[in-house]
Amino acid sequence: MKREQLYSGKAKTIYATDDPDALISEFRNSLTAFNGEKKGEMEKKGYYNSQISKKLFEMLEEKGIRTHFIKMLSDIEMLVRKVEIIKIEVIVRNIAAGSITRKYPIEEGIVFESPVLVFDYKSDEFGDPMLNDDIALTLGLATREEIATIRKLALRINELLVPYLDERGILLPDFKLEFGRINGEIILADEISCDTCRFWDKETKRSMDKDVFRFDKGDISKAYEEVARRIVPEIFE
Ligand code: ADP
Ligand code: UDP
């Protein structure tokens, strides 16, 4: 049963449950970008993102990746295993887009020969600065072994997501993952959705993700719905 609210973030609200090892993650309709500077709302955003996340977590579980997903309790409420979040935003890049094209002489759309892994410090206060292993270790964010495990898991998840999405006409330029500790193990947590991935239409390279909101690229509602139609067609039947 849903108990007290533990945390309300930029896109989700986390509630306790009767089970001390489980939480409810409620996907809201609020949209934020640029570290909270740009704010908005989109009807059904929580619904589409939670359904997309659910489907991708299930696919990954089937392929042997441990995730926090337990089950859906409603259209927007996901029951998850409670983890101790590792404060590293793990970003996997396949095609150049976003900050990497602003910070380095790398043109948007360049396809990387092998995936580029970037770690950012998950901290609104410090604006999510990029980490290297030494800084992550110094900050006590993770151990050397944990960092190695996270790298391996992130690359494996990428290997599974890219062909799965490609079959559905979606390119995956980049995405962000969060991992957590539970009983000495590291599992995938948080979400995999239009808010945390760049999804491009395979044919037109059109954005179908939060970039539509970030850069006013068109109808965000249509973009998220289109991704949902391709990944979770069953919810439209
Ligand atoms: P933010 O904190 O970045 O604004 P959200 O609005 O998505 O993000 O809030 C969800 C919060 O819940 C995040 O801080 C995320 O790290 C955390 N979280 C995600 N999955 C779990 C989990 N299984 N156990 C504990 N915390 C989690
Ligand atoms: N991302 C995210 N949360 C963040 C930062 C980035 O989910 O706090 C995702 C973002 O949606 C994109 C990828 O991580 O899919 C890479 O983002 P980037 O570093 O290019 O930052 P941005 O261009 O979004 O500022």
Side-chain angles (χ1 to χ4, degrees):
M1 210 181 40
K2 201 167 183 173
R3 294 285 177 193
E4 76 276 14
Q5 180 181 312
L6 298 177
Y7 175 80
S8 189
K10 295 187 288 294
K12 302 191 292 301
T13 305
I14 304 290
Y15 297 90
T17 68
D18 291 332
D19 177 352
D21 299 324
L23 298 172
I24 294 171
S25 174
E26 184 183 276
F27 288 65
R28 302 198 316 270
N29 289 337
S30 47
L31 271 160
T32 68
F34 310 118
N35 205 10
E37 267 174 48
K38 182 168 178 169
K39 290 194 176 71
E41 279 274 317
M42 177 196 132
E43 208 192 326
K44 290 198 177 170
K45 192 205 78 153
Y47 176 54
Y48 292 142
N49 273 353
S50 64
Q51 299 299 316
I52 292 164
S53 266
K54 162 195 186 272
K55 190 73 181 275
L56 296 177
F57 281 143
E58 282 175 343
M59 183 277 286
L60 292 170
E61 284 277 356
E62 267 174 37
K63 304 281 187 186
I65 302 286
R66 303 264 277 154
T67 80
H68 71 163
F69 178 73
I70 302 173
K71 64 175 179 179
M72 295 306 293
L73 297 176
S74 74
D75 278 356
I76 57 162
E77 291 168 308
M78 186 180 280
L79 187 67
V80 300
R81 297 209 281 158
K82 181 181 183 170
V83 300
E84 186 194 339
I85 288 286
I86 295 172
K87 293 200 167 301
I88 299 177
E89 298 199 337
V90 181
I91 295 165
V92 184
R93 299 179 177 278
N94 297 303
I95 304 172
S99 62
I100 200 165
T101 65
R102 292 193 295 271
K103 291 183 187 164
Y104 306 95
I106 301 176
E107 232 177 278
E108 183 176 90
I110 295 288
V111 179
F112 297 118
E113 255 174 58
S114 43
V116 176
L117 209 64
V118 177
F119 285 178
D120 285 350
Y121 177 32
K122 184 176 160 60
S123 164
D124 287 340
E125 187 188 350
F126 290 93
D128 299 349
M130 197 192 290
L131 294 166
N132 65 17
D133 288 10
D134 280 1
I135 298 178
L137 290 170
T138 298
L139 291 174
L141 302 179
T143 65
R144 227 175 253 291
E145 296 70 37
E146 285 176 331
I147 291 172
T149 303
I150 290 170
R151 255 187 235 290
K152 223 172 111 189
L153 284 172
L155 292 174
R156 178 70 186 135
I157 291 165
N158 186 48
E159 271 174 13
L160 295 166
L161 286 176
V162 167
Y164 183 87
L165 294 168
D166 186 81
E167 281 169 23
R168 288 154 181 82
I170 300 172
L171 294 176
L172 182 63
D174 56 40
F175 59 102
K176 183 266 299 178
L177 299 172
E178 289 183 28
F179 293 91
R181 302 180 185 94
I182 180 171
N183 308 322
E185 200 192 347
I186 289 184
I187 67 169
L188 179 62
D190 208 46
E191 67 180 278
I192 311 178
S193 73
C194 293
D195 278 9
T196 62
C197 300
R198 284 200 167 89
F199 291 135
W200 289 358
D201 178 72
K202 197 173 154 179
E203 303 303 326
T204 63
K205 311 281 190 298
R206 174 174 53 90
S207 291
M208 299 191 291
D209 55 53
K210 204 159 94 175
D211 273 355
V212 177
F213 169 71
R214 287 191 189 100
F215 305 111
D216 302 311
K217 286 182 168 193
D219 188 335
I220 177 140
S221 204
K222 279 219 181 83
Y224 279 49
E225 184 190 320
E226 181 58 31
V227 173
R229 281 190 185 278
R230 296 188 196 187
I231 297 178
V232 273
E234 58 274 19
I235 65 172
F236 295 92
E237 278 163 14

